[in-house]
Amino acid sequence: MQLKDKHILVTGASVDSDIGLAICVALASQGARLGLIGRRAEALEATLTHIHAMTPTQEADVVPAHYIHAIDLAELDTIVPTIKQLVTLHGPFDGLVHSASFQGYSPLKTLKPSQIGQYFDINFAAAAMLLSAFAKQQQANAGASLILIGSAAGQKGLKGRCLYAASKAALTSLVKSAALELADKHIRVNCVAPALVSGSKADKQFAMLGEQQAEALKAAHPLGIATPTDVADAVSFLLGPHSQKITGATLNVDGGFLAG
Ligand SMILES: NC(=O)c1ccc[n+]([C@@H]2O[C@H](COP(=O)([O-])OP(=O)(O)OC[C@H]3O[C@@H](n4cnc5c(N)ncnc54)[C@H](OP(=O)(O)O)[C@@H]3O)[C@@H](O)[C@H]2O)c1
């Protein structure tokens, strides 16, 4: 119960996000009280139901009061007032996990200007505005830990995915500057960067590959492809008491993908 009574906001918490769901279950099972963010209220309600089913040992009167808030984070002007409203309703935060993202392919020869905002608004600009909201007076407690979910794609070239990769690379830079700026408030800021993670997205990717390409993709992860729980474990570590001097870092959860 290393996160007991910690109030943590998780974006991208909709039930069909393999990683977001695993993060919610991991944090709730360690006693955290979660605010769940996504655009679809019904998909957040389904996450709440799942969390309650997966953490049944807590007695009814001590079950943390998780809550949901449906919002489109690409509407960047609404982020600061929304965080203020949530703090008024539920109290200041001890943590943030920004997992919501736009993923996809953007080959250079067909790139359209409108695609750039599609990736950068949710992956980068929403992250920056969330950090800004948490930096304001009385929105986050001293000792808070803020985590942005990046990607190994941000540290290595990927054909056909320049916008996704660049939007995630920007997070590695963002956490460094934010860490310096928020250190005097004792707020830490880090990035967790998975490579391919097992689940629906990996299944789709493997379905598009021939046998040899699939074997090569697996071999590029010498320790094996990470699971959503592996990512959630890294997030728990960075939110918890055993990472108190870690800030401005990007922690790769990549099965060795970037080591080669
Ligand atoms: N899956 C992988 O293999 C992999 C690998 C490396 C890194 N990552 C990173 O890990 C994180 C989680 O990945 P994932 O594949 O599990 O989930 P995801 O599909 O990238 O996104 C999770 C959720 O974010 C919410 N979301 C998207 N746009 C939003 C917006 N404008 N406002 C509010 N919420 C929004 C969506 O729920 P709603 O539709 O309800 O809004 C979606 O279900 C992402 O940051 C991703 O880039 C994933």
Side-chain angles (χ1 to χ4, degrees), residues 168-186:
K168 292 295 191 177
L171 298 182
T172 290
S173 170
L174 177 61
V175 295
K176 291 183 186 175
S177 298
L180 292 180
E181 214 169 313
L182 297 181
D184 62 352
K185 287 178 179 277
H186 298 281

Side-chain angles (χ1 to χ4, degrees), residues 167-232:
S167 68
K168 292 295 191 177
L171 298 182
T172 290
S173 170
L174 177 61
V175 295
K176 291 183 186 175
S177 298
L180 292 180
E181 214 169 313
L182 297 181
D184 62 352
K185 287 178 179 277
H186 298 281
I187 295 176
R188 299 182 294 117
V189 193
N190 292 292
C191 177
V192 168
L196 189 60
V197 175
S198 60
S200 55
K201 297 229 169 47
D203 292 347
K204 272 187 208 151
Q205 196 162 337
F206 278 114
M208 292 190 306
L209 301 177
E211 203 173 318
Q212 276 185 343
Q213 288 171 309
E215 285 310 316
L217 183 57
K218 282 184 197 158
H221 300 76
L223 279 185
I225 290 167
T227 65
T229 305
D230 291 323
V231 180

Side-chain angles (χ1 to χ4, degrees), residues 12-14 16-20 37-40 43 71-74 98-103 122 149-151 164 168 194-197 201:
S14 300
D16 46 8
S17 165
D18 297 312
I19 295 172
I37 295 250
R39 287 165 299 187
R40 292 165 296 145
I71 176 184
D72 184 348
L73 292 167
H98 178 51
S99 182
S101 81
F102 183 81
Q103 299 178 52
I122 183 66
I149 305 296
S151 172
Y164 177 69
K168 292 295 191 177
L196 189 60
V197 175
K201 297 229 169 47

Side-chain angles (χ1 to χ4, degrees), residues 102 104-121 160 162-164:
F102 183 81
Y105 290 83
S106 53
L108 285 169
K109 65 182 175 189
T110 59
L111 208 61
K112 295 185 180 56
S114 60
Q115 284 178 281
I116 297 174
Q118 215 174 7
Y119 288 85
F120 273 79
D121 282 356
C162 66
L163 292 182
Y164 177 69

